[in-house]
Amino acid sequence: MTIRLLLADDQALVRGALAALLDLEPDLTVVAEVGRGDEVAAAAVANRPDVALLDVEMPGLDGIAAAKAVRDALPTCKVLIVTTFGRPGYLRRAMEAGASGFVVKDTPAKQLADAVRRVHSGLRVVDPTLAAETLATGATPLTDRETDVLRAARAGGTVADLAKELHLSEGTVRNHLSAAIGKTGARTRAEAVRLAEANGWLLG
């Protein structure tokens, strides 16, 4: 039985190399390739792959949102995230979105092909280093209020804007931002937001 694959990666060279490697396997065939996240669900419906291999960072829709879109549009299709960005927060979010596996792009070709087969058979496949990092990262170090303040800060705006939105004093907002910057190891508010998002701490 041949396993039908959909590849989604915004880098044409990477996508082409992956397709070439996977097509060498006698039981795997690439039936569709796309370069944007917002093209994934439609391509899945049109080509009916058994497994979709998705990058995380793509234009239109990120791979994690695309994973959910695929699972909603074609529930029989399993999703394997194949990415350069092996961040603990991404792994957690990918699994919550319905992905069955998460591997990094420098995975050897034979291991990647095996990961595809295992995901297709209903098993979960997770890069072991990333799994360990995710467990080590654990729960968020941020308090609920610090999380609220960073979520509000994603849109930019002044301390006064955040204070108004959250019904807090400006001094309280500054204190929460300062604490969040310290806990994330960031230098700026924007970097604290980015790091917290990367670790999956601003979900919900």
Side-chain angles (χ1 to χ4, degrees):
M1 179 185 144
T2 303
I3 302 171
R4 296 164 60 82
L5 308 177
L6 180 156
L7 303 185
D9 194 301
D10 63 331
Q11 294 182 316
L13 277 174
V14 173
R15 200 168 66 239
L18 268 179
L21 286 169
L22 293 168
D23 268 334
L24 290 173
E25 299 291 323
D27 57 337
L28 305 180
T29 184
V30 176
V31 296
E33 295 180 42
V34 298
R36 293 178 57 89
D38 51 8
E39 295 171 349
V40 172
V45 171
N47 296 280
R48 308 199 71 77
D50 300 306
V51 179
L53 288 81
L54 312 180
D55 186 23
V56 171
E57 299 216 340
M58 291 186 287
L61 204 64
D62 70 52
I64 292 164
K68 185 177 187 315
V70 168
R71 298 291 293 150
D72 290 344
L74 188 67
T76 56
C77 180
K78 301 285 197 297
V79 173
L80 177 62
I81 301 288
V82 184
T83 185
T84 311
F85 300 95
R87 294 176 187 154
Y90 282 174
L91 170 58
R92 196 164 24 242
R93 287 174 56 210
M95 293 307 180
E96 287 167 357
S100 298
F102 196 112
V103 295
V104 289
K105 279 183 183 168
D106 57 7
T107 301
K110 288 290 179 191
Q111 276 179 239
L112 180 59
D114 188 49
V116 168
R117 294 183 189 104
R118 292 172 68 191
V119 163
H120 178 250
S121 71
L123 298 173
R124 279 197 184 277
V125 178
V126 176
D127 179 84
T129 306
L130 193 57
E133 283 176 10
T134 300
L135 288 171
T137 305
T140 174
L142 303 172
T143 65
D144 289 347
R145 189 55 88 185
E146 287 160 5
T147 303
D148 290 342
V149 170
L150 281 188
R151 278 193 196 126
R154 279 190 289 205
T158 63
V159 167
D161 293 333
L162 299 181
K164 189 174 179 183
E165 181 183 339
L166 296 166
H167 308 291
L168 297 170
S169 73
E170 291 182 29
T172 300
V173 167
R174 281 196 193 90
N175 288 341
H176 287 314
L177 282 172
S178 177
I181 287 167
K183 287 178 181 179
T184 56
R187 286 167 304 215
T188 64
R189 182 174 90 179
E191 189 182 5
V193 169
R194 188 175 56 74
L195 290 169
E197 281 198 307
N199 281 303
W201 295 335
L202 300 187
L203 297 171

